[in-house]
Amino acid sequence: MKKLLSILLALVMGVCCATTAFAQEVNAEIPQAPSPRYTGIASYYANLDSDGNDLILTGGITPISGYTVKLTIDMQERNGYSGTWYTVDTYTDTGTDREICTIYETYKGKSGNSYRGYCTFQAFDSSGNVVDEKHHYTAIMFL
């Protein structure tokens, strides 16, 4: 009986573990690089952090060659009664032709309040027309 069970178990394991390999032709073509997401913006970032009651607001934007960029960050505070956000300070920087523009500012917050950054990233062509505009909120900090 044990011998029969061993053979049966070996057969079941053999069937369950059997694998089949299928080959598929590999396309030797090199895929095309994806097109840029933006016309005039190479990269951008924004962040809000805190150190005690000091809120540290950082942001940056890098233009693609031939474009001008502008970064505007509004420090916003939430009204505890109405829940609406209002701007308490605004920071701006610009950069041209691969010049990175950055913002690094510290804002003194009040305990018990919530804060966030509202960022506007813009790129302009040589005629001054807006070619890209991206809006972004940072994380909310509660002090």
Side-chain angles (χ1 to χ4, degrees):
M1 182 70 165
K2 284 185 181 181
K3 191 172 187 175
L4 181 63
L5 218 90
S6 296
I7 294 172
L8 186 59
L9 183 59
L11 282 172
V12 170
M13 286 180 60
V15 170
C16 291
C17 295
T19 59
T20 305
F22 295 98
Q24 183 177 0
E25 182 180 338
V26 176
N27 189 349
E29 289 182 29
I30 298 173
Q32 296 294 319
S35 60
R37 187 171 183 181
Y38 299 104
T39 303
I41 299 174
S43 64
Y44 64 90
Y45 69 93
N47 188 47
L48 179 63
D49 208 350
S50 66
D51 182 13
N53 281 0
D54 289 337
L55 294 158
I56 303 159
L57 188 60
T58 57
I61 183 171
T62 305
I64 292 173
S65 184
Y67 293 91
T68 301
V69 290
K70 179 179 179 182
L71 170 59
T72 304
I73 305 179
D74 296 331
M75 176 64 79
Q76 296 184 336
E77 183 177 82
R78 186 171 165 270
N79 183 308
Y81 296 106
S82 68
T84 58
W85 291 91
Y86 60 94
T87 299
V88 293
D89 214 339
T90 300
Y91 311 101
T92 303
D93 193 18
T94 58
T96 58
D97 199 30
R98 291 305 233 171
E99 177 187 326
I100 300 169
C101 72
T102 58
I103 290 176
Y104 183 93
E105 295 289 340
T106 303
Y107 180 83
K108 190 64 119 176
K110 300 174 195 156
S111 293
N113 289 353
S114 295
Y115 296 88
R116 71 180 180 189
Y118 176 69
C119 312
T120 304
F121 304 93
Q122 295 176 303
F124 304 88
D125 62 17
S126 59
S127 300
N129 301 312
V130 176
V131 294
D132 294 318
E133 185 166 297
K134 168 77 176 153
H135 300 275
H136 173 76
Y137 287 103
T138 66
I140 296 171
M141 288 289 167
F142 179 76
L143 300 181

